[in-house]
Amino acid sequence: MTAGMDLQQILDVSPFQRWLGLKLVRADAQGLEISMAWREELVSNPHTRWLHGGILASLVDLTGLYAILASGNVATATADLRVDYHRAATGGTLTARGRVLKLGRAISCAESFVTGADGKLLASGRGTYIMAPPA
Amino acid sequence: MTAGMDLQQILDVSPFQRWLGLKLVRADAQGLEISMAWREELVSNPHTRWLHGGILASLVDLTGLYAILASGNVATATADLRVDYHRAATGGTLTARGRVLKLGRAISCAESFVTGADGKLLASGRGTYIMAPPA
Amino acid sequence: MTAGMDLQQILDVSPFQRWLGLKLVRADAQGLEISMAWREELVSNPHTRWLHGGILASLVDLTGLYAILASGNVATATADLRVDYHRAATGGTLTARGRVLKLGRAISCAESFVTGADGKLLASGRGTYIMAPPA
Amino acid sequence: MTAGMDLQQILDVSPFQRWLGLKLVRADAQGLEISMAWREELVSNPHTRWLHGGILASLVDLTGLYAILASGNVATATADLRVDYHRAATGGTLTARGRVLKLGRAISCAESFVTGADGKLLASGRGTYIMAPPA
């Protein structure tokens, strides 16, 4: 990790992540927790008011990558992403929790779980991430 | 599909899809093509200027679902999504092409390929979608 | 579940599962554990002696489906399967542990983790399963 | 590829692949085709006589890896695998066709489609494969 920058700052370097409005709740070697406030622009359908699947996929993707950063390792990009949609998200602050499943030299694997304000599981998934070459 | 609404209108009903700025280029029973203009808010990292993986995941997700709609069938939600990131997207208009792999009564499967302005493959993937119960 | 048949019997109804040589170690509503003895026929490459990825995929697939059965629900087929390979398996008895992530009416999602004799994680993954229509 | 060995020989080096009974039908830089004869030991359930999902996953996995070999590149292991089950396979010779989606230095991505004797799509999917370091 860049000296002098914490994970919240790194999250906010990204224009898209700033737009999502992410807040780092907790981070350590065992994983991290990110929250995101509800916003009408994130909605898929104004009638059902379900959150767009692409937003949940974004949360799963970035939470896994930041779980690798929180473990003290550097991933530079996502190789592949898989998301399961368990329940429609229809309002309230979302919480994404990520943890590393396997650290590797070339690629690492992390999983993330997204819950709603009532604690119910909304989506979860995994990413495979490309690791930075050793310095 | 709702009588009197075309796919472009349905795309634009969604606040998040309006924010993405999607344009339906072509749609028929064999599949569809959607384009999205580059925008700085979609960027993951202002130094590398790579498009955020969540945006590419959103394109793969929605293009697959709209390919099912374009085939004359109705999917109501994504059950799961898988995205492979092939090359970093660093500018220019993106094109997503989707097609149905298998239509089913309960779930259907579609695949999507996202290319850059130079035609190079940037990301691709598949979604499994929940079908609307027969009317 | 069929009255008068336990999960070990159901596992052994399947010719391929008999060939794999599966042993139900534990099963309850929270999940189940299946062990599989090493056998040379399961090897991918006689030089590296790595277990074939298809065998690990089979374990992830069937362990997820049987976790649904162990929860008292009936899944009839796999809709899709995703497997992450974490470490090469090179001998010894394997243990697969599965649990349901989300039960649904039409489809359910389960995850499985496969460890080696030393407890190290070898592979893990998820399946989406088609549920039997209510009786 | 090892000089003096063709892809059929490499397929047959693997004990599990010999057990599956694979036949290389065609291979070139654009992809390859492998056939597998039906056998009762591959069945998931003797009542439905459906092929086991793990066998279809094995076919998707190995066909993708051999598509990379057929392109003149060397993959050493599968990083992750994703399989969609489209229709139950209930008999007859199966054909798996694979092609490389993206060759990379560290990892590559390939897709495979498995059809039945009647040409219908039974399963398809993708693997991400670890590439051998340059010689």
Side-chain angles (χ1 to χ4, degrees):
Chain A
M1 228 175 304
T2 314
M5 282 187 77
D6 62 19
L7 281 177
Q8 179 69 58
Q9 285 178 293
I10 298 175
L11 271 171
D12 289 337
V13 163
S14 158
F16 179 59
Q17 292 177 178
R18 278 202 305 272
W19 184 81
L20 288 174
L22 305 172
K23 188 173 157 188
L24 185 77
V25 178
R26 185 185 59 77
D28 57 39
Q30 272 61 56
L32 91 173
E33 193 176 316
I34 290 170
S35 72
M36 187 189 80
W38 186 266
R39 223 168 62 236
E40 290 303 312
E41 279 162 304
L42 308 179
V43 161
S44 175
N45 180 321
H47 307 298
T48 61
R49 300 195 62 256
W50 293 354
L51 193 75
H52 199 284
I55 299 294
L56 289 163
S58 300
L59 279 176
V60 170
D61 175 24
L62 69 90
T63 302
L65 191 141
Y66 280 80
I68 294 173
L69 298 182
S71 76
N73 296 279
V74 185
T76 57
T78 310
D80 63 68
L81 178 71
R82 288 138 287 152
V83 182
D84 290 293
Y85 298 96
H86 303 302
R87 279 180 192 84
T90 55
T93 295
L94 274 70
T95 302
R97 291 178 184 83
R99 71 171 182 122
V100 176
L101 283 172
K102 173 69 171 67
L103 275 173
R105 266 174 311 155
I107 56 171
S108 292
C109 183
E111 67 174 2
S112 303
F113 292 82
V114 183
T115 49
D118 58 1
K120 283 198 179 158
L121 185 63
L122 304 175
S124 64
R126 295 169 166 216
T128 300
Y129 301 93
I130 309 282
M131 303 303 286
Chain B
M1 230 176 302
T2 314
M5 284 187 76
D6 63 19
L7 281 176
Q8 179 70 56
Q9 286 177 290
I10 298 174
L11 271 171
D12 290 337
V13 163
S14 160
F16 180 59
Q17 291 176 180
R18 279 203 305 273
W19 183 80
L20 288 174
L22 305 173
K23 189 174 156 186
L24 185 77
V25 178
R26 184 186 59 77
D28 58 38
Q30 272 62 55
L32 90 173
E33 191 177 319
I34 290 170
S35 72
M36 188 190 78
W38 186 266
R39 223 168 64 235
E40 290 302 313
E41 280 161 304
L42 308 179
V43 160
S44 175
N45 180 321
H47 307 298
T48 60
R49 299 192 64 255
W50 293 355
L51 193 74
H52 199 283
I55 299 294
L56 289 163
S58 300
L59 280 176
V60 169
D61 175 25
L62 70 91
T63 302
L65 191 143
Y66 280 80
I68 293 172
L69 299 182
S71 76
N73 297 279
V74 184
T76 57
T78 310
D80 63 67
L81 179 70
R82 290 138 285 153
V83 183
D84 290 293
Y85 297 97
H86 303 302
R87 280 180 190 84
T90 55
T93 295
L94 274 70
T95 302
R97 289 178 185 83
R99 72 170 181 122
V100 176
L101 282 173
K102 174 68 170 69
L103 273 173
R105 266 174 311 155
I107 56 171
S108 293
C109 182
E111 67 174 3
S112 303
F113 292 82
V114 183
T115 48
D118 58 2
K120 283 197 178 158
L121 185 62
L122 304 176
S124 63
R126 294 168 167 217
T128 300
Y129 301 93
I130 310 281
M131 302 303 286
Chain C
M1 232 175 301
T2 314
M5 283 187 78
D6 63 18
L7 282 176
Q8 178 71 57
Q9 286 177 292
I10 299 175
L11 271 171
D12 289 338
V13 163
S14 159
F16 179 58
Q17 292 176 180
R18 278 202 305 273
W19 184 81
L20 289 173
L22 306 172
K23 190 174 155 185
L24 185 78
V25 178
R26 185 186 59 77
D28 57 37
Q30 273 61 56
L32 91 173
E33 191 176 319
I34 291 170
S35 72
M36 188 190 78
W38 186 267
R39 224 167 63 237
E40 290 302 312
E41 280 161 303
L42 309 179
V43 160
S44 176
N45 180 322
H47 306 299
T48 60
R49 299 194 64 255
W50 294 354
L51 193 74
H52 199 282
I55 299 295
L56 289 162
S58 300
L59 279 176
V60 169
D61 175 25
L62 68 91
T63 302
L65 190 143
Y66 280 79
I68 294 173
L69 298 183
S71 75
N73 297 279
V74 185
T76 57
T78 310
D80 64 66
L81 178 70
R82 290 138 285 151
V83 182
D84 290 292
Y85 297 96
H86 303 302
R87 279 180 191 85
T90 55
T93 294
L94 275 71
T95 301
R97 289 177 185 84
R99 70 170 183 122
V100 176
L101 283 172
K102 173 69 170 69
L103 274 174
R105 266 175 311 155
I107 56 171
S108 292
C109 182
E111 68 174 1
S112 303
F113 291 82
V114 184
T115 49
D118 58 2
K120 284 197 178 159
L121 185 62
L122 303 175
S124 62
R126 294 168 167 217
T128 299
Y129 301 92
I130 310 281
M131 302 304 284
Chain D
M1 229 176 303
T2 314
M5 283 187 78
D6 63 20
L7 281 177
Q8 178 71 57
Q9 286 177 292
I10 298 174
L11 271 171
D12 290 338
V13 163
S14 158
F16 179 59
Q17 292 176 179
R18 278 202 305 274
W19 183 81
L20 288 174
L22 306 172
K23 189 174 156 185
L24 185 78
V25 178
R26 184 187 58 78
D28 57 39
Q30 272 62 55
L32 91 173
E33 191 177 318
I34 290 171
S35 72
M36 187 189 79
W38 186 267
R39 221 164 68 235
E40 289 303 312
E41 280 162 303
L42 308 180
V43 161
S44 176
N45 180 322
H47 306 299
T48 60
R49 299 193 66 254
W50 293 354
L51 193 74
H52 199 284
I55 300 294
L56 289 163
S58 300
L59 280 175
V60 169
D61 175 26
L62 70 90
T63 302
L65 191 143
Y66 280 80
I68 294 172
L69 299 182
S71 76
N73 297 279
V74 184
T76 57
T78 310
D80 63 68
L81 178 70
R82 290 139 285 153
V83 182
D84 291 293
Y85 297 96
H86 303 301
R87 280 181 191 84
T90 55
T93 295
L94 275 70
T95 302
R97 290 178 184 83
R99 70 171 182 121
V100 176
L101 282 173
K102 174 68 170 66
L103 274 173
R105 265 174 312 154
I107 55 171
S108 292
C109 182
E111 68 174 2
S112 303
F113 292 83
V114 182
T115 49
D118 58 3
K120 284 197 179 158
L121 186 62
L122 304 175
S124 63
R126 294 169 167 217
T128 300
Y129 301 92
I130 310 280
M131 302 304 285

